[in-house]
Amino acid sequence: MEAEGDVLSARPALETEGLRFLHVTVGSLLASYGWYILFSGILLYVVFQKLSARLGAWRQRQQERAQAALEPDVVVKRQEALAAARLKMQEELNAQVEKHKEKLRQLEEEKRRQKIEMWDSMQEGKSYQARARRPPPEEDGPGPSTSSAVPKRKSDQKPLRGGGGIPRQGAYPARTATSPAYLDALRAGSMSRIVS
């Protein structure tokens, strides 16, 4: 019996020592990492709440799909709505394509008309470059034009080349005594062909 008494008296000492060790270990752990543990716990709680809400919504959608698959009326209505939406989108796309084709036709007609005008003016001996430089008239509205006119050259400006259009010296190759045109003219005996 004494052996049993020793075991009973030793047990509470071991339990108190274990509790003391647990108290010191947990206390030092909380003292060192308490805030990290608290924020981690809050974060885990929030993540768990979000995931459980999404999981519940996902389960509900799965149940609705299963019920919809069993009910042919719901499936038919959904397919009809999908077909109507596709048809509407196709009609909008076709309308946009028609507008684009009409715009291209108008541009081609304008180019054709300009070419005809250019040809007519060339036949009459007029210059077509002035018309070609002019921007096409805006057909957006009958109001005043907002485009700026081409500025005219002022009379007090100096031309880029002086001499009234006579080329500068060195613009054309000079006829020297060794040039083939000069030698041909000498051989033919006609100096009047040589123009300096």
Side-chain angles (χ1 to χ4, degrees), residues 21 52 68 84 117 143 169 179 190:
F21 176 74
S52 64
E117 287 178 4
Q169 185 178 9
S179 70
S190 169

Side-chain angles (χ1 to χ4, degrees), residues 2 13-16 26 30 38 53 57 117 122 125 133 135 141 156 159 166 172-173 176 194:
E2 282 184 26
L14 284 176
E15 285 181 10
T16 57
V26 170
L30 286 177
L38 179 67
E117 287 178 4
M122 285 176 55
R133 288 182 193 155
D156 60 337
I166 300 174
Y172 295 108
T176 62
I194 301 176

Side-chain angles (χ1 to χ4, degrees), residues 13-100:
L14 284 176
E15 285 181 10
T16 57
E17 188 177 311
L19 286 175
R20 192 175 305 135
F21 176 74
L22 183 66
H23 178 68
V24 170
T25 306
V26 170
S28 65
L29 184 69
L30 286 177
S32 298
Y33 303 106
W35 289 112
Y36 298 117
I37 293 171
L38 179 67
F39 287 130
S40 298
I42 292 172
L43 182 68
L44 286 174
Y45 177 75
V46 170
V47 168
F48 180 74
Q49 291 297 322
K50 294 282 185 181
L51 288 178
S52 64
R54 286 188 181 187
L55 183 63
W58 180 75
R59 285 183 184 166
Q60 185 178 2
R61 281 193 306 258
Q62 291 294 334
Q63 289 175 356
E64 289 175 0
R65 287 181 187 168
Q67 289 175 356
L70 298 176
E71 297 177 17
D73 294 337
V74 174
V75 173
V76 169
K77 287 180 182 178
R78 186 174 292 157
Q79 288 178 350
E80 287 175 354
L82 186 61
R86 285 181 181 158
L87 183 63
K88 181 181 176 184
M89 289 173 62
Q90 186 65 41
E91 289 173 354
E92 290 174 0
L93 183 63
N94 289 343
Q96 290 176 356
V97 167
E98 287 299 320
K99 286 180 184 178
H100 183 68

